[in-house]
Amino acid sequence: MQQQKESKWSSWPLLACALILLSIGMVACGSNTEAASEAASDSNVINPEKLRVALLPDEDASTIIKNNEGLKAYLEDRLDKDIELVVTTDYSSMIEAMRFGRIELAYFGAVSYVLASLKADIEPFCASLKNSQTTYNAVVIAGADTGISSIEDIRGKDMAFGDIASTSSHLIPRMQLLDKGLEIDKDYTAHYTGTHDAVAIAVQNGNTHAGGLSEPIFQTLVDREIVSLDKIEVIEISPDYPNYPWTMQSNLDPQLKDEIVAAFIELDDPDILKPLKAEGFGRVTDADYVGVRNSMKRLGMIES
């Protein structure tokens, strides 16, 4: 492996995690209670003329904005609002934007939603459908020439993850390895590339032995011929996890909330849904993410 690149990848995730958890702790001491109290007050209900809608920062930002122009037009028509699409630099920035009311709607991963819910008064209202279910899977992949054919073979090797707050490119693959007895920084060396596609490309280019990412995103990369199954093998598909939730600020006007939910649940245009890697959207609540919270506690990502 390329030692210089390994050093660069491994230098920032612990700091990033520490900053996320530190800010969560600060909010837990007071701001979250105040926000919840304010949201309960009628005077805090808002109905803005423009809705800022944050999309997952899992690929190049300009590509995400371009690919979702159809969603923007659809929401403007359904909600009679100006819509601004937003792509933050990473998940932690998206969480902070939700906390400070800089965005009204956000398409989070399950982990980033749980982290955001500790800091902001928000609620999930729908999640991506796959095979008519609001669940999805992650994959652990390995270079075809690495000799890795199972999770256990990653012992003593390099393992790439995406963003530290990613569900399918961090939490799920880490749980897959842990369930097979492999602990991070003890049984394998972890690297963080920032995005799902960067994980797959790093594995394909031989910069890391193995990696974890969303199965739908991996399949899209294969379909677009960005990565090749001649160079990458899928080692294991994860159990089902709750899919990416759309969330909204809890202090939005109740009628507007109903209109937003209806707009997403009734969205059936495949051209709009394709960039979101969804067949449609189904209702979810916070209770659907209890299992994710428990996994995060097991990994020490949040306090028990």
Side-chain angles (χ1 to χ4, degrees), residues 51-195:
L51 295 177
R52 294 160 294 184
V53 179
L55 299 165
L56 284 164
D58 54 10
E59 294 181 270
D60 175 71
S62 60
T63 300
I64 295 171
I65 295 292
K66 179 180 179 181
N67 290 344
N68 287 281
E69 285 297 324
L71 175 67
K72 178 178 184 293
Y74 170 78
L75 292 177
E76 287 179 334
D77 181 63
R78 282 295 302 259
L79 303 176
D80 193 26
K81 301 276 188 186
D82 290 333
I83 301 294
E84 177 186 352
L85 298 182
V86 178
V87 180
T88 59
T89 54
D90 54 28
Y91 287 99
S92 59
S93 299
M94 193 166 162
I95 291 168
E96 289 302 295
M98 205 68 171
R99 171 189 172 189
F100 289 107
R102 299 189 185 113
I103 50 180
E104 284 72 44
L105 275 68
Y107 194 26
F108 279 113
V111 166
S112 50
Y113 160 66
V114 170
L115 291 173
S117 71
L118 297 174
K119 304 178 68 176
D121 189 19
I122 61 174
E123 55 196 68
F125 60 91
C126 70
S128 303
L129 288 172
K130 180 182 180 183
N131 299 323
S132 301
Q133 302 294 319
T134 55
T135 57
Y136 78 128
N137 310 92
V139 290
V140 173
I141 60 174
D145 61 353
T146 60
I148 297 173
S149 59
S150 68
I151 293 289
E152 290 85 352
D153 292 336
I154 298 174
R155 187 181 300 274
K157 302 291 198 304
D158 297 315
M159 177 74 184
F161 300 109
D163 191 296
I164 200 162
S166 171
T167 307
S168 52
S169 193
H170 182 224
L171 176 79
I172 301 178
R174 265 192 69 185
M175 288 297 299
Q176 288 177 265
L177 270 63
L178 186 60
D179 287 341
K180 297 296 174 62
L182 275 65
E183 296 184 24
I184 193 168
D185 297 330
K186 175 183 176 182
D187 298 306
Y188 61 92
T189 301
H191 308 293
Y192 293 80
T193 68
T195 62

